[in-house]
Amino acid sequence: CWSLLRAAWLLQGGLAPELEGRELVVEGRVASLPGRSEQGVVFLFEPRRVWLDGRPVTPPRRIRLGWYGARTAELVPGERWRLRVRLKRPHGLANPGGFDYERWLFREGIGATGHVRESRDNRRLGRAPAGIDLLRHELRRRIDAALGDSPWTGVITALAIGDRHAISPAQWQVLRATGTNHLVAISGLHIGLLATAGFFLFRWLAALVGALSGSSLPAQRVAGAGAVLFALGYAALAGFAIPTLRALVMVAVCVAGIQAGRRLSATALLSVAAIAVLVLDPTAVLSPGFWLSFGAVVLIFYGTLCRRGMPGRLRSLVRLQLLVGIGLLPLLAAFFGQHPLIAPLANLIAVPWVSLTTVPLTLLGALGSFAAPEHADLLPRLAAATLDLLWPVLERLAVLPAGQWQPRMIAGGELIAAVTGTALLLAPAGIPLRHLGVIFLLPLALPAGPSLPEGGFRLTLLDVGQGLSAVVRTRSHLLVYDTGPRHGGGFDAGAAVLAPFLRARGERRIDLLLLSHGDSDHAGGARSLLAGFPVGEVVTAPDPRIAWAGGKRCRAGMEWRWDGVRLRVIHPGTGRWHGNDASCVLLIEGGGHRLLLSGDIERRAERDLVARLGAGLRAEVLVSPHHGSLSSSSVAFANRVLPAWVLHPAGYRNRFGFPKSKVVARWRVRGAKQLVTGQAGAIEMDFLPQFPVVPRCWREDNPRIWRARAGPGGCSAPL
């Protein structure tokens, strides 16, 4: 009941539909540490009042804003501002295996997203009051001043205050590949270390005061209070993230048990912590961090249950790392579709090193920046030096060829079976039939679904925002046609959409990567995709912007025959082509069906195709040229293709207004039903012999209370 009430409260704080896309003036307070990048800042804002054309309207509860450009102000958490903004309702990309941005917005209580417009209305109204957010901001500023351009500024900041915005993509890649990314989150490990330090420090102080005053203080009670105080302070600096909250509650429960003279079992301790976290935030169950943090503690307790003759310290550490590494396999497969096999070794090296050197130096440096500001840079520099020593080791481990395993993503019954299997395998000696746990892990090795028949193929047109990426799977081959956009803010569709999708489907290799042309909305994700997946053959348009990819140049007449399916390049032909008209156009035939992938061709290329192929352009399904722009989908081209379905790869509320209403009308009068990825999410179609082609839309097939419903352009309401 509490979860439902909490969900209803979060959903009611959204932006009214009639305010979407309108310019608004908002007054309120900066509600988070701004995340900084080369383009500007991103921050949370809590509006108190909102005006539309001078008329007050109901404000959303919380909004996430980007403020870009050279004139970006230095924002401080807690400050009051008046801003001119343009907002939209929560909406994210909807793809199998991809990050659910809308779920994250829901968890954070964000009712709208948008950006600050350049205006004279933008001005600071009041300074920030004293508080924990202001302290975090000041600590970040001092760490920046102490470390300057050091590559470890982002990591040290993350360890000090839980702000990970400044960690570079390359550093994240190393951390993920070695399974050590938990070290840059202020986790239960760090809270536990600080609580232990607080316990012994306060116990020593209690004994010292007692000896000096001649009185006896209850040292254990004073030490327990010190442990809770230290843990509470560090958790507050981290913004009370789930792992820190869980550890804080466990410390508090342990201390309460000590104060009450009771000894709590591990099960009771963990249960109380879970209940307390969920009472404070029922939406915590939507975070992978909740399951991974509690799962790791459960595994530690489970791994020490009924064990006799425990080995020495080093062997115990090795055993513990293997236990957690194997035990978390089902959850990592469910959430991320990958598992770093090198993680136990990497953590065996990194956890003690970071915990005993980097973290203490970072925290002492944070305290010292206030106590002795003239020497404030010494300890942060020493903390950075410890990372200088550790990082080369992690980089070598990250590139080991056998260091990664990428099982396909699992859910439901498969996840339950995998958890059961690992529980059996890790059970104490003497449990009968425990080796049969391997059987329950078989779903991780099985393909994602039934294989396609000879002559059949499947199209998945991914939702990559304003861009294009399509995946075509035959019985035993895989084509990726374009890789979606890459934005200056760090978004890369290759890493954020394509790679998770391929892992979710259990794909290990790309047989053909075809880049239709060099625009960033089509080839922006290519570098990260090539870095993460082996590719058999690369074909690119004759565009110097993607010459770095190598491979063959796309030209009419190129052909592949896979499992009874024919893939044929029909453009560019002879002559000089440039810009959008040089796009590589692919016609796929199989099972009595035809699919036309047209890239960004415009009217000149369409005229050439009509003149050369005529009725040979007929296709049952068309991925629309140039996202449905007015410069494409000419009348002559439409009369020749005559598709039953037109799929528009266009982003939600994109700034170009694609697909254009005139283009939609042109296809509609020819009887074509039309879908838009920005509304439908990923669109999937099976082209099977003797079966009609029926689309499936990810957004509609996977409804969630936080997910925006598909509007016109979805499977249930095609244009």
Side-chain angles (χ1 to χ4, degrees):
C1 288
W2 171 229
S3 297
L4 289 171
L5 287 170
R6 172 74 175 174
W9 181 78
L10 290 172
L11 291 171
Q12 287 173 359
L15 181 73
E18 62 270 17
L19 301 181
E20 197 169 24
R22 307 287 297 275
E23 284 207 1
L24 308 171
V25 175
V26 300
E27 279 188 9
R29 62 179 287 271
V30 178
S32 72
L33 277 175
R36 300 166 297 183
S37 69
E38 294 179 359
Q39 288 70 38
V41 295
V42 177
F43 60 99
L44 299 183
F45 192 79
E46 291 179 353
R48 297 289 186 264
R49 292 183 291 178
V50 178
W51 294 270
L52 172 63
D53 299 329
R55 174 174 54 89
V57 294
T58 303
R61 181 173 294 109
R62 210 177 194 198
I63 56 182
R64 186 172 190 259
L65 291 173
W67 196 347
Y68 308 110
R71 296 179 60 190
T72 299
E74 174 65 25
L75 298 174
V76 177
E79 286 182 336
R80 292 187 299 110
W81 278 79
R82 171 178 287 187
L83 301 169
R84 180 171 289 274
V85 301
R86 182 170 289 174
L87 303 177
K88 65 179 181 180
R89 304 172 78 189
H91 197 283
L93 308 180
N95 298 284
F99 174 66
D100 194 338
Y101 181 57
E102 290 171 61
R103 179 172 67 180
W104 181 82
L105 293 174
F106 171 75
R107 274 209 62 231
E108 297 295 319
I110 298 170
T113 62
H115 61 277
V116 178
R117 306 279 291 175
E118 288 300 322
S119 169
R120 294 180 180 177
D121 291 325
N122 301 334
R123 65 178 184 270
R124 184 184 286 108
L125 301 178
R127 294 186 177 277
I132 192 65
D133 282 340
L134 187 60
L135 176 62
R136 297 176 73 209
H137 171 79
E138 180 62 21
L139 281 174
R140 184 173 73 174
R141 188 189 67 79
R142 295 187 181 206
I143 291 171
D144 288 347
L147 296 180
D149 296 331
S150 168
W152 311 121
T153 302
V155 177
I156 300 300
T157 304
L159 291 173
I161 60 173
D163 176 30
R164 294 176 286 177
H165 286 99
I167 299 177
S168 70
Q171 289 170 340
W172 275 121
Q173 177 62 32
V174 171
L175 292 168
R176 292 192 187 102
T178 55
T180 54
N181 46 329
H182 65 93
L183 291 175
V184 295
I186 299 179
S187 64
L189 172 66
H190 302 141
I191 294 290
L193 287 170
L194 209 64
T196 302
F199 182 89
F200 287 109
L201 175 62
F202 272 67
R203 191 171 70 174
W204 176 77
L205 288 174
L208 180 63
V209 170
L212 293 176
S213 64
S215 61
S216 63
L217 291 176
Q220 289 293 95
R221 292 178 181 271
V222 174
V228 172
L229 185 64
F230 273 47
L232 178 63
Y234 200 15
L237 283 179
F240 293 107
I242 287 176
T244 61
L245 195 60
R246 184 243 325 148
L248 174 62
V249 170
M250 292 182 73
V251 168
V253 171
C254 279
V255 169
I258 292 172
Q259 308 287 43
R262 297 183 59 184
R263 183 177 179 181
L264 294 175
S265 68
T267 304
L269 180 63
L270 199 61
S271 299
V272 171
I275 292 169
V277 168
L278 294 177
V279 167
L280 291 170
D281 181 13
T283 63
V285 294
L286 300 178
S287 168
F290 174 86
W291 299 98
L292 292 172
S293 60
F294 274 95
V297 178
V298 168
L299 283 165
I300 292 170
F301 288 159
Y302 183 67
T304 56
L305 180 68
C306 300
R307 312 280 179 171
R308 292 186 177 181
M310 292 295 287
R313 288 187 178 181
L314 180 58
R315 292 183 62 188
S316 294
L317 286 173
V318 173
R319 186 175 186 175
L320 191 62
Q321 291 298 335
L322 289 173
L323 181 80
V324 174
I326 296 171
L328 290 182
L329 172 60
L331 292 179
L332 291 170
F335 292 130
F336 309 115
Q338 58 182 341
H339 183 66
L341 297 178
I342 202 66
L345 176 58
N347 278 281
L348 189 64
I349 298 169
V351 168
W353 182 259
V354 171
S355 301
L356 298 177
T357 62
T358 314
V359 171
L361 288 170
T362 297
L363 294 178
L364 289 173
L367 293 174
S369 67
F370 293 99
E374 65 276 8
H375 303 296
D377 61 341
L378 177 60
L379 291 175
R381 288 175 183 270
L382 288 175
T386 66
L387 295 174
D388 280 326
L389 297 173
L390 173 67
W391 204 257
V393 178
L394 294 182
E395 285 181 322
R396 291 182 182 180
L397 293 175
V399 297
L400 289 177
Q404 299 293 314
W405 181 45
Q406 294 183 342
R408 67 179 180 86
M409 287 186 171
I410 57 174
E414 294 176 329
L415 176 58
I416 293 172
V419 170
T420 303
T422 53
L424 279 173
L425 288 174
L426 299 175
I431 299 296
L433 305 178
R434 62 185 183 130
H435 297 297
L436 292 181
V438 175
I439 296 175
F440 291 90
L441 295 176
L442 288 178
L444 295 176
L446 296 176
S451 62
L452 294 162
E454 187 76 9
F457 63 97
R458 176 179 297 132
L459 164 73
T460 305
L461 185 63
L462 293 167
D463 178 13
V464 294
Q466 186 53 39
L468 171 62
S469 181
V471 177
V472 176
R473 151 63 63 189
T474 68
R475 186 168 189 172
S476 59
H477 292 81
L478 185 74
L479 159 74
V480 173
Y481 180 93
D482 284 345
T483 58
R486 179 184 180 92
H487 301 312
F491 174 81
D492 177 347
V497 178
L498 253 174
F501 168 75
L502 295 175
R503 285 197 292 267
R505 292 297 168 86
E507 303 291 357
R508 298 288 181 269
R509 183 178 187 274
I510 299 168
D511 295 284
L512 173 62
L513 172 61
L514 196 156
L515 301 177
S516 68
H517 68 303
D519 284 359
S520 63
D521 60 332
H522 290 251
R527 290 184 187 273
S528 59
L529 189 68
L530 286 167
F533 280 84
V535 177
E537 184 177 3
V538 177
V539 174
T540 67
D543 189 325
R545 293 174 296 176
I546 48 177
W548 60 266
K552 301 177 181 177
R553 292 293 173 262
C554 186
R555 65 181 187 279
M558 298 177 75
E559 185 174 311
W560 299 264
R561 291 184 181 269
W562 294 345
D563 312 310
V565 178
R566 184 187 185 196
L567 300 87
R568 182 161 51 104
V569 175
I570 59 174
H571 183 81
T574 57
R576 298 186 64 181
W577 300 95
H578 56 84
N580 287 338
D581 279 329
S583 295
C584 189
V585 179
L586 190 67
L587 180 64
I588 303 176
E589 304 167 83
H593 306 284
R594 303 180 104 206
L595 164 67
L596 186 59
L597 300 170
S598 56
D600 268 3
I601 59 170
E602 298 182 335
R603 292 177 183 270
R604 179 177 171 235
E606 290 178 351
R607 287 195 299 269
D608 179 73
L609 283 167
V610 169
R612 287 192 294 109
L613 298 179
L617 278 176
R618 183 79 171 87
E620 190 173 356
V621 177
L622 168 71
V623 176
S624 66
H626 202 192
H627 316 281
S629 75
L630 288 173
S631 62
S632 305
S633 298
S634 60
V635 172
F637 182 76
N639 287 338
R640 287 300 186 182
V641 181
L642 289 176
W645 292 95
V646 176
L647 312 182
H648 299 289
Y652 174 74
R653 297 188 64 85
N654 65 85
R655 62 191 179 96
F656 306 104
F658 295 158
K660 294 292 188 179
S661 56
K662 289 184 179 180
V663 172
V664 171
R666 187 172 299 152
W667 290 114
R668 185 184 293 132
V669 299
R670 287 161 179 79
K673 297 179 180 179
Q674 300 170 69
L675 304 176
V676 184
T677 54
Q679 293 288 353
I683 303 168
E684 200 156 69
M685 290 179 161
D686 286 345
F687 297 77
L688 305 175
Q690 302 177 350
F691 284 94
V693 175
V694 179
R696 300 184 298 277
C697 296
W698 179 258
R699 188 173 289 277
E700 295 178 25
D701 289 348
N702 297 270
R704 299 291 185 271
I705 60 171
W706 58 80
R707 188 170 293 159
R709 295 182 180 180
C715 285
S716 60
L719 298 175

